[in-house]
Amino acid sequence: MESTGNGGEDHPIDGTALLKTAALASVPADRLPALLARVQTDLGPRIDEYRRRYERIEAAPDRETFLVEPDHWEDVGARLDLADRERDAVARAHETAVERWGATTDRRAEFETALEIRSAVVIGVDGIEE
């Protein structure tokens, strides 16, 4: 996972996806890593639920990626008390990470189509047993 530089907390969004998201997000770029780390802290312990409930489209050594219902980020945002802009920025970062991964694995068109009707969630798995 990528280090955020905020007290050693981590999140699973790579640097390029983070930069792209920061350029498009409605939150200051320097706040995005902390938001992503906060979301990772919430999602990490829930990974077994994601494995049971959602389609997993990637299982890498450091992260797992899932396709979820379109309103998924509204629930996460409410649970973590995120402002709408913060929630949207986090969702965009996860989606951008999936698009980038799709481009590197020749699955970009497949993921772009999936993201038209679903949302993406990337959960870091360092130290989490499957």
Side-chain angles (χ1 to χ4, degrees):
M1 287 187 292
E2 295 290 312
S3 173
T4 65
N6 289 327
E9 294 177 292
D10 292 335
H11 61 81
I13 308 302
D14 72 39
T16 303
L18 185 65
L19 288 173
K20 182 177 179 184
T21 301
L24 300 172
S26 298
V27 297
D30 61 344
R31 286 191 46 223
L32 192 54
L35 283 171
L36 292 170
R38 187 169 157 206
V39 169
Q40 170 61 31
T41 298
D42 177 72
L43 296 179
R46 300 171 191 272
I47 195 153
D48 285 336
E49 175 185 345
Y50 281 81
R51 288 173 177 152
R52 285 189 304 270
R53 192 169 172 196
Y54 300 111
E55 178 185 358
R56 183 172 62 185
I57 59 171
E58 176 196 28
D62 62 340
R63 69 187 176 274
E64 293 184 28
T65 305
F66 303 89
L67 293 175
V68 299
E69 64 273 355
D71 62 351
H72 177 269
W73 288 108
E74 291 175 21
D75 294 339
V76 173
R79 189 169 61 238
L80 296 178
D81 197 28
L82 300 178
D84 290 349
R85 289 179 176 186
E86 293 172 328
R87 179 201 64 222
D88 293 347
V90 168
R92 183 186 311 261
H94 284 250
E95 183 175 306
T96 300
V98 169
E99 289 171 345
R100 281 193 32 74
W101 178 63
T104 63
T105 60
D106 203 27
R107 296 177 70 187
R108 185 180 185 111
E110 173 189 346
F111 293 152
E112 285 177 351
T113 300
L115 291 172
E116 289 176 9
I117 58 171
R118 295 193 272 176
S119 292
V121 173
V122 183
I123 302 175
V125 294
D126 283 352
I128 298 174
E129 294 297 319
E130 186 168 351

